[in-house]
Every structure is written in structure tokens, then in C-alpha cells.
Amino acid sequence: MAYLYLALAIVAEVVATSSLKASQEFTRLWPSVTVVVGYVLAFYLLTLALRTLPVGIAYAFWAGLGIVLVTLIGVLVYGERLDAPAALGLAMIIGGVVVIQAFSRVSAH
């Protein structure tokens, strides 16, 4: 259940972060509401995940997957472009998350 909470927290954080650009510096109501509600929900769900997941592991997943997903939204929704070093860096982040999940002995307690 902890990984479900963490996944939902990451989705909420990605929605909130992606809505920051649409809020136009908090001058548009609904994107601004989405930002605030998304972050509140994300942090609440993260606290639920931290009941059993170690904080370092949870934060590694949160930050790593959040970066990759927000970048993908930037490319797909906002037409932002990635160069080769950025793509390589994102691949390394994904690799780090995979290594933690597949090989780390640190697990939910």
C-alpha cells in the first residue's frame, strides 16, 4: 500500500508542478487552484507512504520520477525540447530508480 500512496503522491506532485506554468504566476484561477490542491494532496499522500517506506528511498522515487514525468509533460504539452545531455541525464535518473528498486536491500519496514 505504501508504494500506491507514493505513486499517487508523485502523480499529484507532477500535476501540481505542471500546472505552475499554466497558472501564469498565479494569475489564472483554476490552474492556481490545481497547484495548491495538488501539492497539499501530494504531501499528504507522501506522509502516508512514509509510514512504512524509509524517507530516503521514498524521496529518491519522488524526486527522480517527478523530474522525469514533469520533463515529459513539458515536452508533450508545452512543446519544450530536450538536447542529448538532458536526455542522458533523465536516463540516468531512471536508471538510478531502477537500481534502487531492483537491487537495494532497503525496504519497507
Side-chain angles (χ1 to χ4, degrees):
M1 198 65 179
Y3 281 106
L4 176 61
Y5 289 139
L6 182 57
L8 293 172
I10 292 167
V11 169
E13 186 268 334
V14 167
V15 169
T17 301
S18 300
S19 297
L20 278 170
K21 190 165 189 165
S23 77
Q24 296 179 1
E25 300 173 4
F26 292 101
T27 60
R28 296 184 59 222
L29 177 63
W30 293 114
S32 299
V33 169
T34 302
V35 170
V36 173
V37 170
Y39 281 131
V40 168
L41 182 61
F43 282 106
Y44 174 71
L45 290 166
L46 181 61
T47 64
L48 297 179
L50 291 176
R51 288 178 178 169
T52 54
L53 293 176
V55 69
I57 298 301
Y59 194 72
F61 277 77
W62 165 287
L65 295 177
I67 289 167
V68 170
L69 293 172
V70 168
T71 301
L72 288 175
I73 289 173
V75 168
L76 297 173
V77 175
Y78 296 114
E80 298 171 354
R81 305 188 111 202
L82 292 180
D83 58 9
L88 176 62
L90 290 170
M92 292 172 73
I93 291 169
I94 293 168
V97 171
V98 169
V99 166
I100 290 170
Q101 181 63 25
F103 301 109
S104 177
R105 290 188 166 177
V106 178
S107 62
H109 48 76

